[in-house]
Amino acid sequence: MPIQKEIPYNSGHFFITFTCYKWLPLIEITKSYDLIYKWFDYLKHQGHYITGYTIMPNHVHATIAFCKTNKSINKIIGDGKRFIGYDIIKRLKENNQQEVLAKLKAGVNNSDKLRGKLFEIWEDTFNWKHCYGNDFIIQKLEYMHNNPCIGKWNLASTPLDYPQSSAKFYLTNVQGIYDILHYLDLEDIDLTKPSGD
């Protein structure tokens, strides 16, 4: 699933997915949904827009509209993963999750160890797709909103019943846990203008 190539744009609307190391449910174990929302707040503060999300126990789906940025979008996402990861490790230590910490420590490769990395929290790469039209955006929103209700997950009977997602907003026009921008409102926003980062 992960794609290793650099996002070749400095602005645009993207469907992003990043995943915990070895698909471990680190977000659920540490109740770190709030850390993802904090990262969303940071992105908003930098002038970007969150248009959809579903936070699963071991991965994150989001549609994010990036205004023109001097940083690469890959770096913005990588920095977010890193800072969320620090807090996940802190919570694992506070909760004495020694077995999980040992797995994450064992996952660090030798070259990263030499650079001082102690734990492997995320899969190295992330998946991204350029959201080039409303039909594609709708497809990705439906995919992520249905994710908790299908297959092995079975976390909710309907997308509306899963709180860690933007499904409620798109289905009822009432914001859920985290306030987002409707993707249609992007039509009035020039993403090619610089963001605040």
Side-chain angles (χ1 to χ4, degrees), residues 38-50:
K38 248 163 75 175
W39 180 58
F40 288 169
D41 282 342
Y42 172 79
L43 292 175
K44 282 184 181 178
H45 184 71
Q46 297 301 308
H48 309 300
Y49 302 91
I50 311 303

Side-chain angles (χ1 to χ4, degrees), residues 5-193:
K5 63 184 179 180
E6 187 86 11
I7 295 176
Y9 313 101
N10 63 2
S11 66
H13 195 191
F14 300 93
F15 172 66
I16 306 286
T17 300
F18 55 91
T19 305
C20 296
Y21 175 68
K22 299 265 190 201
W23 290 83
L24 293 167
L26 300 177
I27 298 167
E28 174 59 27
I29 290 169
T30 57
K31 303 295 184 228
S32 290
Y33 301 93
D34 63 310
L35 300 179
I36 313 298
Y37 297 133
K38 248 163 75 175
W39 180 58
F40 288 169
D41 282 342
Y42 172 79
L43 292 175
K44 282 184 181 178
H45 184 71
Q46 297 301 308
H48 309 300
Y49 302 91
I50 311 303
T51 60
Y53 67 91
T54 297
I55 307 170
M56 298 292 284
N58 63 6
H59 64 284
V60 176
H61 294 300
T63 47
I64 305 171
F66 291 93
C67 285
K68 186 177 178 185
T69 171
N70 292 324
K71 282 187 194 173
S72 80
I73 293 173
N74 284 61
K75 177 150 178 48
I76 293 170
I77 294 164
D79 287 349
K81 286 169 63 181
R82 189 169 74 252
F83 288 114
I84 294 164
Y86 292 151
D87 282 335
I88 285 176
I89 293 299
K90 184 178 170 192
R91 291 181 183 187
L92 287 169
K93 288 178 177 176
E94 287 168 355
N95 293 316
N96 203 26
Q97 293 276 346
Q98 295 305 323
E99 191 177 320
V100 178
L101 287 163
K103 283 181 189 173
L104 302 181
K105 193 167 200 151
V108 181
N109 66 41
N110 288 333
S111 62
D112 284 341
K113 280 180 188 169
L114 292 172
R115 292 194 344 254
K117 187 173 187 177
L118 301 176
F119 300 98
E120 193 68 69
I121 299 109
W122 306 104
E123 293 295 322
D124 284 340
T125 57
F126 64 92
N127 188 33
W128 66 272
K129 300 281 182 195
H130 192 206
C131 296
Y132 48 82
N134 288 347
D135 288 345
F136 187 81
I137 295 165
I138 291 166
Q139 178 194 52
K140 292 305 174 193
L141 287 170
E142 286 179 355
Y143 168 78
M144 72 168 120
H145 291 156
N146 284 315
N147 201 201
C149 309
I150 58 172
K152 65 174 185 174
W153 292 111
N154 213 14
L155 298 171
S157 53
T158 71
L160 194 57
D161 296 326
Y162 188 69
Q164 308 295 343
S165 101
S166 53
K168 180 180 178 183
F169 176 62
Y170 281 106
L171 293 170
T172 68
N173 209 29
V174 174
Q175 293 284 358
I177 288 176
Y178 191 83
D179 288 2
I180 61 161
L181 182 77
H182 197 291
Y183 73 89
L184 290 174
D185 292 334
L186 287 175
E187 291 172 7
D188 300 324
I189 296 169
D190 184 358
L191 296 177
T192 65
K193 289 189 174 170

